[in-house]
Amino acid sequence: MAKKLKNRTTTTGRKARSAKSHTRAQRAVTKHVASKSQLQYVLWRTIPLEDLNPLLQRQFVVGQEIMVARVLLKKGCIVPEHSHHNEQLTYILEGALKFWIDGREIVVHAGEVLCIPAHMPHKAEALEDTVDLDVFNPPRADWINKTDQYLRGQK
């Protein structure tokens, strides 16, 4: 009987130590996340426009788990077909973009929104001068690191 009691105590002790360890790990993660999170108040006019090609410019703000980009496309600008692991929400502020996506052609006008799932190939063309707001989750590492060659130097 003492042996059984000892085993129970050992098991309970292990569970308690494991629970304490898990709680410590959760606190550490929460503290780490909290230390990286910070309030940002940004004026678009303070962010320099990045020239990607003669017909395409952008600005973006990056949060911890999300990114918003203001994209300016001149009429005729083509965003070549590409896909990414980021979910994308595109809101057209001015103008119109024609998308080729999921076997369909979709024209998105000012005041309209398109939500593109992760990994879905898509292409776009500016039908007129367009200002578009793109939201990505998670943030686009290729944009941040400037390794988005599919956008650079083309029309």
Side-chain angles (χ1 to χ4, degrees):
M1 179 130 182
K3 192 173 188 178
K4 282 186 182 179
L5 195 52
K6 186 177 179 184
N7 284 344
R8 283 189 199 149
T9 304
T10 304
T11 303
T12 304
R14 255 187 270 138
K15 285 181 183 175
R17 280 192 304 274
S18 177
K20 284 181 186 176
S21 176
H22 181 69
T23 303
R24 270 196 310 273
Q26 281 182 319
R27 275 196 314 263
V29 168
T30 302
K31 186 190 269 186
H32 179 71
V33 168
S35 68
K36 284 191 170 191
S37 296
Q38 55 182 259
L39 175 67
Q40 294 185 66
Y41 174 71
V42 180
L43 303 174
W44 283 119
R45 70 174 183 259
T46 66
I47 301 172
L49 281 167
E50 181 182 5
D51 292 314
L52 297 167
N53 69 55
L55 301 178
L56 181 63
Q57 298 175 304
R58 74 170 173 218
Q59 303 161 290
F60 55 83
V61 177
V62 181
Q64 190 170 352
E65 299 292 329
I66 199 163
M67 171 182 191
V68 63
R70 184 170 169 261
V71 183
L72 296 97
L73 305 98
K74 296 286 186 196
K75 181 179 179 175
C77 179
I78 301 283
V79 176
E81 186 175 61
H82 65 286
S83 66
H84 38 76
H85 73 275
N86 320 76
E87 184 175 16
Q88 175 178 342
L89 189 138
T90 295
Y91 173 48
I92 305 300
L93 297 170
E94 300 172 21
L97 290 180
K98 181 179 187 176
F99 284 86
W100 288 265
I101 184 167
D102 200 28
R104 300 173 17 193
E105 291 183 10
I106 302 170
V107 177
V108 185
H109 298 275
E112 298 176 349
V113 176
L114 180 66
C115 188
I116 304 171
H119 306 288
M120 182 171 281
H122 54 284
K123 171 184 173 179
E125 178 182 359
L127 300 178
E128 53 190 272
D129 288 355
T130 300
V131 178
D132 131 38
L133 206 61
D134 286 335
V135 179
F136 298 99
N137 180 36
R140 293 283 305 265
D142 61 333
W143 285 24
I144 295 165
N145 301 329
K146 301 188 184 321
T147 57
D148 49 354
Q149 292 309 116
Y150 74 99
L151 290 175
R152 297 176 179 275
Q154 300 177 17
K155 284 189 169 187

